[in-house]
Each structure stands twice: as structure tokens, then as C-alpha cells.
Amino acid sequence: MTSRDNPVGNRQEGFHFQVVGIGASAGGLEPLEELFTNLSPDLEMAFIVIVHSDPSHETLLPGILARRTKLGVHKARDGGSIQPQCVYVCPSDSIITIADGKLRLTPRPRNREPILAIDQFFYSLASELENRAVAVILSGSGSDGTLGLREVKAKGGITFAQNAQTSKFFSMPQSAFASGAVDFLLSPKEIALKLGSVANHQYVKTKVPAENDSEQNDSEQNDFNELIVLIRKGSGIDFSLYKHGTVSRRILRRMALNNISKLSDFHTFLTKHPQILNDVAQDILIQVTKFFREPEAFDLLKEKIFPDFVRGRGREDTIRVWVPGCSSGEEVYSILIALTEFLEEGGYRFPIQFFGTDLSESAISKARDATYVENISQDVSTERLERFFTKTTQGYEINKSLRDLCIFAKHNLVSDPPFGKLDLITCRNVLIYLGLTLQKRALSIFHYALKPSGSLILGNAETVSGVGELYIPIDSRYRAYVKKPSTSRLYFDFVGAHQTADKISTTPPVVAIAESASQSIQMQRDADRYLMAEFVPAGVLVNDQLELIQFRGRTGPFFEPSPGFASLELLSMLKAGLVSEVQNAIDVARQKNEVVRREEIAVKLEGDIKRITLEVVPMPLPSTGERYFILLFEDMDAPTFAVSKRRRQLKLSANPKLDETHELSAIRAELTSTKEYLQSIKEEKEASNEELRAANEEIVSSNEELQSTNEELHSAKEELQSTNEELLTVNEELKLRNHDLSGLNDDLSNLFNSFNSAMVLLTRNLKVRRFTPMAEELLRLIPADIGRSIADIHPNVEIKDMEKMLQEVIATSRPKELEVKDAQGKWYSVQMKPYRTQDGRVDGAVLLFTDITQLKTSLIYAEAVESIYSHPLLVLNGELKVKRANKKFYEVFKSTPSDTENRYIYDLGNKQWNIPELRELLEKVLPQNSEIRDYKVTHKFPNIGKKTMNLSGRRLFHHDVATETILLAIETVD
């Protein structure tokens, strides 16, 4: 089952046509033109176009589209009506929605925050038109429209998105498609043609069945039942006990997508295309949810539910929460975030475990991925986004610290064993789509799974009716309940998640119920036929356990309720005097499997001695092997009842008085015989009863012990089943994580093996965690050194106080860098950096050696060239600061390194180098030409007098200004 929003009433009745919402952004103009060019003007549809545009400029789109279509194109206005065969374009400075059958425009905010105008319109479109809503996403960047498209599909509408081959910007259609909300991924031309076929389907022309509607003729009902069986075989999900209207709506929608009108034709289509069966099942499992849906419900959690979690709880006692029907996980993470905030505000620390389950494998996969479109910023506050989410290129990702607290698994709510010992179950808006039988079963399972003080939260349209004795309401508005201790144990016939669909009984529950009902009706008809044949005397129908099933005729004289606990047990309700005869007759009928008749039974009824005829008729039920009995009672003295053939023959005798005397004598003799027979039976039974009474007391005592043991075994079995299911779920989760870890480990190994520098990863206590192949030779490492302290290893490069520096790096989180030389004369740049975990915690250090021998040699060579150069030379950086000068410069211009290096050239010698011609050279000429030669400058220096200089300069390019180098050679001319 999957989380769903509350159903909205059939508001689409105000529209007899479809309304198509079209959203586009970057690159959307061309597909809009192509779509309307190929769109038939005769379609009974209205079109509303929303395009991301600059709110400060009026849109030209109405005029552009009017040249491409014969449909009427209008600029949308607030309060305007919606007519078919018209196109309404949203103004660029407004946000458009539909309410009460009218267009509604609101001013668009002028701030720079993203406005999800397409989502907002699709939400209103789904709410107003339900199955007559159509949503289209064309080219654009971002994810606007994704959540709205999901809402349209959930309400029964039809959805389209532009394919990648024709989209200039595919991120908007891609986001919608990845969410599973797109029915058709087509080009704009194909979308136009498909809209034509969809518009003519009966699905959008007639009222869709309501949730509880089940009006179908016999033929349609048979076709529907066959479809349910076919879907169950193909997907493993049994929808026979879901609400009829829910399943009918989703099947009709799928028929519209495939342009099929009859259920029988759709059955044939699915038989030929069994791969679509799972898609049909996923359609029925409506997947609509969002973060912090109904915020007031989360206030209830913090005020009434969460405080019970921490009251009297031990530090090691895990808080366990189950969200069945979790869809793509938004509800799970929302509750987890709210719980985390509550615990941190109160200073509590307890282990937490959340279970999210759903029948949809694709939904569970999305929940595990924990990545959501950026549109969730409409439902999640900025503070929560910064604290619990990480911004990614796809949108927002749940932080790993929260994700690791959740287990997601495919799970059937009403057939798989539940999780146990739960503090909270939230099952909002799942039960509304289940029939009463499944609702009661699910609620009973929830009662079993909860702790004695556990809580249950349902949706606004759901209640615990039918099992109200199991729960105590704590908030009627948000359907919050606490578990009430049950006086009797609940037993469930769980199938288990590990069993496949073909192992489940092939007879759907609804068919089994129908067969059982049919057998019961047939048995009653057989009973009626026999009673009618025998002039319908008073009688009862009992089962093999002598429980009363049905009364026939006037049975009052023979039965009366016994004092004490109410019971329909036959022998306890018979009048005194009939018990032994009835029991004896039933025993004989059971043993011989034939009709047993007892005549002339004298019994005191209603104050008089009556003569009764008893007849016991065994009636086996072949389909089940059970046996029933019909008991017929006939008052021989009652004039309104039929009498036996023997008495009728006596009444027809020629001498009535004589016959009456003979009859009276016979009756008296028979009565005496019967009394003697009864007395002997009574004495035998009393003796047997005495012997059995003692044995019975021992048996009762043993039975109570066995019953107690049986109860404990049942309880242990159910707990083991739940634990096993939990372990299977955890095992599945661990397999997925192991697979991911294996892939990451392979990536890391390949990265290390291809890394051309020596790098060592160390733990907090400076033990070797991992190293690259280059580090093996330089640091004398072997695989067995993993786990050893770096202090125990003697590398080829000696670094003084290396351990101390590494510990400082870990303690201060500040990197260190130095240059060292090995015994062979090679130079290395050594970098010591903190090793950080994914959540930013420092958990060790990274030691990196980079060979800089060539660079060092180049620098030494450059310095040598500078020193022997016969003219003054300056080396400047990109900011015109002096990096160094050669010896000739200091001799000619009477300066020193301390007055020259790391200073702006214009500030040298009391700004005597602040020469306009030099500024012209360095700031204008050189940046444009990169190299300049013999640029003549004449200047009078305070210390050395007037000098005429030929300046030559060259820029050495780097990736940034700070590392850029400028060479400035100065040739003095006397």
C-alpha cells in the first residue's frame, strides 16, 4: 500500500470537457509552436499555458501561438471562465490557478526566489478536474511541475512530458519522468496527436466511479473479477478486497491510456502483453505524498505522542516507528526530522529505528535513494533544509546520519508479518482505499505490532470502526489513537515476504467468500426442500458440533434459552425431557448416517404431557466434508400439525371407539417401555459420569496447562515471524549497501593505483589506514603495514618531528606543508592535511608527497641565470609586487633586498619608481602585448641622478593573478 492524499469530491462535474495544463521553461517556445501546429482545432479541450518568463516584461506568447493554431488564444484574466477550444496564456507577472471553475490570478512576487508556478497550477488542476485533468511538461531547466504532475496522475488525470530527443533543455521533463508520474514521453507533435485520441475516450466523457461505487451488470462484474485475478497473477498483488471504486477508476484510466473501451478487450490486451500487468498494479497503488503534509499533525506528534516515547524509557531502549504505505519516503523522513528535533530540544538521547514499507518496488527504491527535487523547498523550511539536507545537482539529499536510521522494504500490509514492539505506526490515507475486511485486518495487525503504550495515527478520512474496542482515541481531529490492551489474542495467517505470489492460494479471498456463501445457500435450499416435502414441521438445523444454525417453524415449545452465558448450543437450549432422546438420536444418525425417527416421546411441555415425534436427518456438505443435521419436532396432540401415517390409518378405521381403546393401550405399553429404557440409560450414564468426572478434572487441569503453553508458543511463533521478517528486510538492506560499498571500494582502489604521488591515509592515532603504490617505495611500506603506527616505519625521506606535526594537524584541523630532500637528492613537497568524514568530523590525517625535484632544479637554474645577467632584472607577480631582483639591480640603483622584495614596484625607494611611463608599460602596454622590448624611459632618481633606461618586459601566464610572473629587464643608457 502506498500513502495517498485525501480524496477530493467530484468537482470535475462542473466541466464536461478536459482541461490541459502545459508548462514550459527554457527552450519551450519551439515545442509550444510545434504542439499547437499539430493540434486539431475540433478537440473538446481547453488549454492553459504557463511559461517561466521575466515578470517585468509582458509576454508575446499569445500572438505567437495565435499564428500557429485555429483555436482561440487569449491572455488569461482573473475570474475568467474556461471554454473548450480555447487557449489561455498566463501573464508573465502572475501566478495562475483554477478555483470553483474559474481562472484565478495572483501577482507574482518580485523577489528572486524561485516561483514554482507550474506546480501550483497543476495542483489546482488536479483538485478541480480529477480524471478530466491533463498535464504536459515541455522543455525547461529545473524541476518545476514534477510534484504537480504526480498529483494530477494520482487524481486520475493523464500526464505527458517531452522526450530528450526533441528537448533543448531536458531537466524539467527528466525530473518528472524520474518521479514515475509521466504516462507518455513523446515529441510535441506526438503529444498533440495523442491528446486527440485521449479526448474521445469514455473515461473523460463520463463520471468516474466513486470510491465505494460498485454498480456493474453481471457481465461487467465477471470481466472485472477476471481482470483482478489476471493482475494478481502478473504482479503478485491481490486487489479483490480493495474498494471497488478505487480499482475501477485506475483500470479505466489505464484503458484510456491504451485507447481501449471494454473490460473484456482490456483483459485480452493484458493477456497478450503481460509485461503491462505490473504497470496496472502500480497505477492502483497511488503514490502521492509530500514532506510535512498537514503540519498540524506534526504539532500533535510533538505535543502528545513523542512525550510518551521518552517517559520511563531506558537509554538503550530503541524508539521504533513504522510507516506502512510510505511511498517514496517523504512521510518517514518528516516524522524522523520532527522526532530528532524533539529529542534534541529536550536533551534526550535514545537509539532510533524507522521502518518504511510499501508494495511498490520503485517507490521503495526512491525512498532508499533519499534524493528529492528542489521543489520540496515549498514544504520544508529553510532551517530544516540546511540542517537535514544536502544540496545536490538533482535537488536535495537527506543527510546520511538520518538515512542510516531508516530501513525501507517491499511489504504487503495485510499478508506479510508486521514489525513488532513499535512505539508508533502512522498509516495516513492508506485504509481509505481498502475494503472493510482488509481495514479490520490491518487495524488488528497494527494492534498486535504496537507496544502496550504504542500510538496509531490515521488519515483524516479514516477511523478504527469495526475494531474500536482495540484502541483509545487521543485526538479525534487527526485520528490519533493509543493501543488498548486486548482481552483475547489475535492470530494472523501471514504469508511472509519470502513467499512468491505463485505460492499463495490461487483463489482470491473474494472468490473464496463467494464459494462459501454459495455452498451455505445450497445447503439451506436442500433443507427447505426436505422440510417442504414433510409438511414443514417445527425444526432446527445444527452443525456437527451441535451448534444451532437455523430455526424453522414454531420451535418455541421445544426450546428456551438457558440461564447464564448466552449460547446457541443445542443441548443447553432444549426443554427438559428432550435432551437424552435428542442426543441419543443424533448419535445413532451420526454413526449410521441415516435418518433416525423416535415416536411417541412423552415430555412435559407448557404444563401438559405431550406426545412428540422426533426425526434426525443427517445432511453432509460434499464440498467441505462437513456434516449438518436437521431435527424435526412434531406434537402428535396438536390439531394443526400433521401426524404419522400409522395414526392416519387408525383414524380411518371402521370402529373409531375400538380403535381408540387399542391405541390407548399401545401408547401406555410403549410409554412404560420407554420409561424403563430411559431409567436404565440414566443409571448407566450416572455411573459413567462419576467415573468420567474424576478423569475430567485431571484433564481440565492438564488442558489449562497445555492451553497456557500453547498461548506462549503462539506468541513466540508470531514474535519469531516478525523478527524473521525484520531480519530479511535488514539483510536485503545490507546486501544493497554491501553492493554499493563494493563499488566504492573498487573505485577507490583504481584511484589509488593510478595516483602518481605517494599518499598515506592515517587514523587519529597515526596508524596506517591505506596508501598508494608510489608510497610503497618512498616510505618503505608493505601491505602488512596497514594498522601499524607511522612511527614504526622508517621511510627513505626523513622528516623531523613528523608525528608531532601530524598530531597538530589532527588537533587544529590546519594543514601543514614543507619541503624535504631524500638521500638521493630528490626534493619533495610534503603536505599534511586533516582526514575528514562525510559529516565533517576529523578522523585522522592525510600525508602527501609530491616530487618537486624538476621544479626545484628549474628555480635554481633561474636564480643562477638572474645572478649572472649583466643588466638589472626584476621579477614581479601579477599584483606588481617584487618577488626578487638580481645583484646588478641592487648595484645600479643603490638598493637592498629588504627594501625591495615583497613591495609594490611603485613604492620602491620612497616611490621613486612611481614613473608615469613605467605605469603605462606595466598596466596598459604589457597586458595587451604580453611582451615589449626597448621601451625607453627617462627619469631622475634621487640617489643616482638622471637615467635613461630601455625597458623590456614579458608576462608568464598562470591560472590566476597571484601566481602570474612578470620579468622586467632594465638597460641603462648613460
Side-chain angles (χ1 to χ4, degrees), residues 541-550 568-570 628:
L541 178 66
V542 299
N543 59 20
D544 204 32
Q545 289 74 43
L546 302 187
E547 294 173 336
L548 290 164
I549 303 298
Q550 192 177 40
L568 288 178
E569 204 273 327
L570 172 68
Y628 292 80

Side-chain angles (χ1 to χ4, degrees), residues 707-721:
Q707 185 66 25
S708 176
T709 303
N710 191 46
E711 289 283 337
E712 293 175 3
L713 290 173
H714 270 291
S715 177
K717 177 187 175 184
E718 291 168 1
E719 290 180 5
L720 286 172
Q721 256 184 317

Side-chain angles (χ1 to χ4, degrees), residues 521-542 549-555 558-559 595 597 613-619 628-634 641-642:
I521 292 171
Q522 183 62 41
M523 178 269 295
Q524 294 180 25
R525 287 176 178 171
D526 291 343
D528 290 340
R529 189 179 299 111
Y530 184 86
L531 294 175
M532 290 295 293
E534 294 296 323
F535 309 105
V536 196
V540 293
L541 178 66
V542 299
I549 303 298
Q550 192 177 40
F551 292 92
R552 296 299 181 96
R554 184 173 174 270
T555 58
F558 311 103
F559 293 89
V595 177
R597 185 179 179 88
T613 295
L614 168 66
E615 191 166 312
V616 178
V617 182
M619 293 190 64
Y628 292 80
F629 298 93
I630 296 177
L631 278 68
L632 304 178
F633 299 91
E634 185 177 0
F641 283 84

Side-chain angles (χ1 to χ4, degrees), residues 222-482:
N222 289 336
D223 291 338
F224 179 81
N225 290 340
E226 289 178 1
L227 266 177
I228 295 301
V229 173
L230 187 63
I231 293 170
R232 180 180 55 78
K233 289 180 178 179
S235 66
I237 305 174
D238 186 1
F239 294 106
S240 58
L241 294 181
Y242 275 52
K243 287 185 178 176
H244 187 282
T246 298
V247 182
S248 294
R249 287 165 62 126
R250 308 311 291 184
I251 288 178
L252 283 173
R253 180 182 177 280
R254 178 56 65 168
M255 290 168 61
L257 298 182
N258 292 280
N259 199 23
I260 298 174
S261 300
K262 295 181 180 180
L263 284 171
S264 56
D265 294 340
F266 191 49
H267 185 279
T268 303
F269 173 78
L270 292 178
T271 303
K272 294 179 180 179
H273 303 85
Q275 70 277 9
I276 302 179
L277 287 168
N278 191 61
D279 294 336
V280 178
Q282 296 304 315
D283 267 4
I284 300 174
L285 301 174
I286 307 170
Q287 298 176 21
V288 175
T289 183
K290 61 181 182 179
F291 282 96
F292 297 99
R293 179 179 46 177
E294 301 169 1
E296 297 84 358
F298 289 88
D299 294 336
L300 169 72
L301 285 172
K302 289 189 175 182
E303 293 171 5
K304 295 185 178 180
I305 306 298
F306 292 164
D308 288 339
F309 284 6
V310 300
R311 194 173 294 118
R313 180 181 293 273
R315 279 193 169 273
E316 303 302 320
D317 189 4
T318 302
I319 295 175
R320 293 163 60 86
V321 179
W322 180 25
V323 183
C326 70
S327 188
S328 47
E330 288 92 330
E331 180 91 352
V332 177
Y333 293 124
S334 297
I335 298 172
L336 179 54
I337 288 171
L339 177 60
T340 302
E341 292 173 339
F342 171 81
L343 294 177
E344 290 185 357
E345 289 170 4
Y348 304 109
R349 294 181 64 87
F350 296 106
I352 298 173
Q353 191 168 37
F354 271 62
F355 301 95
T357 62
D358 201 282
L359 270 175
S360 171
E361 188 66 57
S362 60
I364 287 298
S365 179
K366 292 172 188 173
R368 288 181 180 138
D369 188 48
T371 301
Y372 300 94
V373 295
E374 59 186 357
N375 303 22
I376 66 170
S377 59
Q378 302 293 308
D379 304 314
V380 184
S381 67
T382 304
E383 294 77 13
R384 282 172 169 164
L385 284 175
E386 293 176 352
R387 182 179 176 189
F388 299 106
F389 294 79
T390 301
K391 189 73 171 71
T392 67
T393 55
Q394 290 80 26
Y396 289 97
E397 183 178 16
I398 294 288
N399 288 347
K400 188 174 184 295
S401 57
L402 290 186
R403 171 64 186 86
D404 289 344
L405 300 178
C406 304
I407 293 176
F408 294 96
K410 184 179 179 181
H411 180 275
N412 191 321
L413 172 62
V414 295
S415 64
D416 293 337
F419 302 96
K421 300 180 181 178
L422 299 166
D423 295 281
L424 172 66
I425 297 175
T426 62
C427 184
R428 299 202 290 164
N429 305 316
V430 174
L431 301 184
I432 53 176
Y433 295 103
L434 306 182
L436 290 177
T437 301
L438 289 186
Q439 285 186 17
K440 291 180 180 179
R441 180 177 176 84
L443 290 168
S444 298
I445 289 173
F446 292 160
H447 184 275
Y448 163 77
L450 287 168
K451 286 182 176 179
S453 59
S455 301
L456 170 68
I457 296 183
L458 304 177
N460 286 341
E462 299 167 334
T463 67
V464 294
S465 60
V467 291
E469 70 279 1
L470 300 180
Y471 297 96
I472 302 172
I474 56 177
D475 189 289
S476 57
R477 181 180 179 187
Y478 293 105
R479 301 296 192 268
Y481 305 87
V482 68

Side-chain angles (χ1 to χ4, degrees), residues 536-594:
V536 196
V540 293
L541 178 66
V542 299
N543 59 20
D544 204 32
Q545 289 74 43
L546 302 187
E547 294 173 336
L548 290 164
I549 303 298
Q550 192 177 40
F551 292 92
R552 296 299 181 96
R554 184 173 174 270
T555 58
F558 311 103
F559 293 89
E560 65 178 357
S562 59
F565 184 76
S567 171
L568 288 178
E569 204 273 327
L570 172 68
L571 299 180
S572 66
M573 293 190 67
L574 282 170
K575 291 286 186 72
L578 283 175
V579 175
S580 59
E581 285 287 352
V582 169
Q583 188 168 14
N584 179 265
I586 291 176
D587 290 341
V588 174
R590 181 183 284 119
Q591 294 171 5
K592 297 183 178 181
N593 197 28
E594 61 184 23

Side-chain angles (χ1 to χ4, degrees), residues 14 45 94 114 324 329 340 407 467-468 566 571 583 623 629 671 780 821 858 924-925 931 937 955 962 964:
M45 288 179 165
S94 301
T340 302
I407 293 176
V467 291
L571 299 180
Q583 188 168 14
S623 59
F629 298 93
L671 177 60
R780 295 180 181 176
K821 187 178 182 181
S858 299
K924 293 184 180 179
V925 178
E931 182 178 354
V937 175
R955 293 176 64 209
E964 190 173 296

